[in-house]
Amino acid sequence: MIYLDNNATTRLDPRVLEAMMPFLTDQFANAASTHPFGVTAHEAVKNARQQVANTLNCEVHEIVFASGATEAINLAIKGVAESYAHKGRHIVTVQTEHKAVLDVCHYLETRGFEVTYLPVQPDGLLDLETVRAAIRPDTILVSVMLVNNETGVIQPVQAIAALAHTAGALFMTDATQAVGKMPIDVDTLGVDLLTFSAHKFCGPKGIGGLFVRQRRPNKVKLEALLHGGGHERGLRSGTLNVPGIVGLGKALDLCRQEMPVETQHIASLRDHLETALLTIPGTRVNGNREHRLYNTTNIYFEHCDSDAMIMGLEGMAVSNGSACTAASIDPSHVLLALALNETEAFSCLRFSLGRFNNEADVQRAIDGVKNAVEGLRALV
């Protein structure tokens, strides 16, 4: 299997599994227990929290572990909505956000909140003047994802955060596709809330987290979603997933150590794949090619249904959009926001490369896609 769908999920690094194994077998204690057995688990969680803090350049008490980015996003947005409703009931986000953000915002609209969904330019980037114009005195939160999961486009979150803060609003970023893949400094970016998920950077599924700024000037107060035990400083009750947390910390340590070499390797593979596929007539890249993550390319193939292409690519895993909406019969909302029509949006493939891909994978992918395109166009 040639796996080129790393934005959906990644293979668990064997070194991460090795770090997790003791806590899946002999060291199975509850991290909240006070006996020596529990203290060992607690220390492992404490170490992982430090590993996350080292990656994000934040304090350890600013990290809240959750089951993944979706839960973290729910905690962040709903938590802000409840805590700051007395200041205002307006939220600003973007049409190209992940459904985890959009669906939470739609829910809040049924609870009396007003949400502005910003359009993007045809290359997927936000216009800063559009952002500035959308922020109002009653805006309590601006939420803009750092890296788009379908196109890899990187938004100018540092500048957007500054606009939010100038107006007295908090700024959140869904960094699920960024953490572990690019350097992240929450202070440099100016973010107040940031979400991430371990399975996007060769860690285990079922674990992720939320950065919640606790240092002034923007100390964030959140209302909890889950109650019952007061775990994670009262923000996320429930017995901690110690093996998952250990795996998350180990995965981030590996990313931080290997990022310079890995970035160059994956970027080279992506560029080779993209350059070769763009020699096919009737193709183009969706999204800005300068401001995007090095591992992703989203390509339009004229007169080629993406589902038919995926079916024809035997032994190869690629996608036509977000894994979270793969069962949907609707076209990608991200691509529609980039001014593609429905037919065009149904004719695109996302290729997302990762740590375990190599040149042979890319060459097989090039050959496979060219054959699939030729075969489909012959039927037109």
Side-chain angles (χ1 to χ4, degrees):
M1 172 65 70
I2 305 301
Y3 188 78
L4 300 176
D5 198 19
N6 286 274
N7 284 7
T9 195
T10 56
R11 173 184 167 188
L12 183 67
D13 192 298
R15 296 167 292 180
V16 174
L17 178 59
E18 183 181 4
M20 295 170 63
M21 282 304 294
F23 301 94
L24 290 165
T25 53
D26 299 332
Q27 299 294 332
F28 56 83
N30 190 323
S33 298
T34 57
H35 48 64
F37 206 22
V39 170
T40 299
H42 173 77
E43 288 299 316
V45 170
K46 183 179 177 181
N47 179 62
R49 205 183 300 274
Q50 184 64 62
Q51 290 170 316
V52 177
N54 291 344
T55 301
L56 301 181
N57 188 32
C58 66
E59 302 295 331
V60 291
H61 64 279
E62 295 179 309
I63 299 301
V64 178
F65 289 120
S67 63
T70 295
E71 184 190 339
I73 288 166
N74 274 261
L75 172 57
I77 300 178
K78 292 177 182 176
V80 167
E82 287 208 28
S83 294
Y84 294 86
H86 64 284
K87 294 182 61 178
R89 302 178 72 85
H90 180 235
I91 295 170
V92 175
T93 190
V94 189
Q95 294 175 4
T96 53
E97 293 290 301
H98 191 278
K99 286 292 187 181
V101 169
L102 296 177
D103 286 354
V104 172
C105 288
H106 294 325
Y107 164 78
L108 289 176
E109 287 179 299
T110 71
R111 295 297 185 267
F113 287 83
E114 184 181 350
V115 183
T116 298
Y117 300 92
L118 298 175
V120 294
Q121 299 171 101
D123 65 354
L125 284 172
L126 278 166
D127 174 64
L128 292 179
E129 288 306 312
T130 300
V131 179
R132 190 194 311 274
I135 301 174
R136 310 184 321 210
D138 63 336
T139 303
I140 55 174
L141 179 68
V142 177
S143 181
V144 178
M145 73 193 313
L146 181 50
V147 174
N148 187 271
N149 53 305
E150 294 192 31
T151 63
V153 168
I154 300 173
Q155 296 290 356
V157 299
Q158 184 177 8
I160 299 169
L163 292 176
H165 292 152
T166 298
L170 296 174
F171 180 77
M172 168 187 153
T173 189
D174 169 12
T176 307
Q177 294 294 342
V179 172
K181 299 176 184 177
M182 59 185 281
I184 303 284
D185 185 318
V186 294
D187 289 341
T188 299
L189 293 176
V191 300
D192 304 308
L193 297 147
L194 179 147
T195 60
F196 56 94
S197 196
H199 76 102
K200 303 295 188 180
F201 47 83
C202 297
K205 294 174 179 63
I207 187 68
L210 171 67
F211 158 74
V212 184
R213 184 171 295 280
Q214 294 298 289
R215 291 162 289 148
R216 298 193 182 281
N218 284 341
K219 183 177 180 180
V220 180
K221 184 181 186 302
L222 295 181
E223 288 294 326
L225 285 181
L226 301 176
H227 302 88
H231 305 78
E232 295 299 276
R233 296 186 293 106
L235 288 177
R236 204 273 184 180
S237 291
T239 301
L240 292 179
N241 174 5
V242 178
I245 291 170
V246 169
L248 185 156
K250 178 65 175 180
L252 280 181
D253 251 7
L254 292 172
C255 289
R256 199 166 61 252
Q257 294 164 17
E258 300 176 1
M259 193 177 293
V261 172
E262 193 163 274
T263 297
Q264 187 176 7
H265 168 68
I266 296 173
S268 174
L269 294 179
R270 192 279 308 271
D271 290 348
H272 176 47
L273 172 68
E274 184 176 271
T275 300
L277 294 183
L278 290 178
T279 64
I280 301 172
T283 57
R284 66 173 184 266
V285 173
N286 296 312
N288 190 290
R289 295 179 67 177
E290 298 300 319
H291 301 283
R292 62 171 172 164
L293 196 66
Y294 55 86
N295 81 315
T296 305
T297 183
N298 190 305
I299 299 179
Y300 164 69
F301 297 89
E302 187 179 25
H303 302 313
C304 292
D305 179 80
S306 56
D307 283 332
M309 289 185 66
I310 291 171
M311 291 290 290
L313 294 172
E314 292 188 25
M316 191 181 311
V318 298
S319 74
N320 57 354
S322 169
C324 297
T325 57
S328 173
I329 60 172
D330 297 322
S332 162
H333 70 282
V334 172
L335 297 181
L336 293 180
L338 269 61
L340 276 72
N341 61 41
E342 288 198 8
T343 299
E344 291 171 329
F346 278 126
S347 304
C348 301
L349 292 181
R350 177 188 71 181
F351 303 85
S352 47
L353 288 76
R355 177 175 300 167
F356 300 104
N357 289 126
N358 55 42
E359 293 180 2
D361 292 344
V362 169
Q363 191 56 54
R364 282 182 57 189
I366 292 167
D367 295 340
V369 171
K370 285 184 174 181
N371 288 336
V373 170
E374 184 178 342
L376 286 174
R377 287 179 176 172
L379 300 175
V380 176

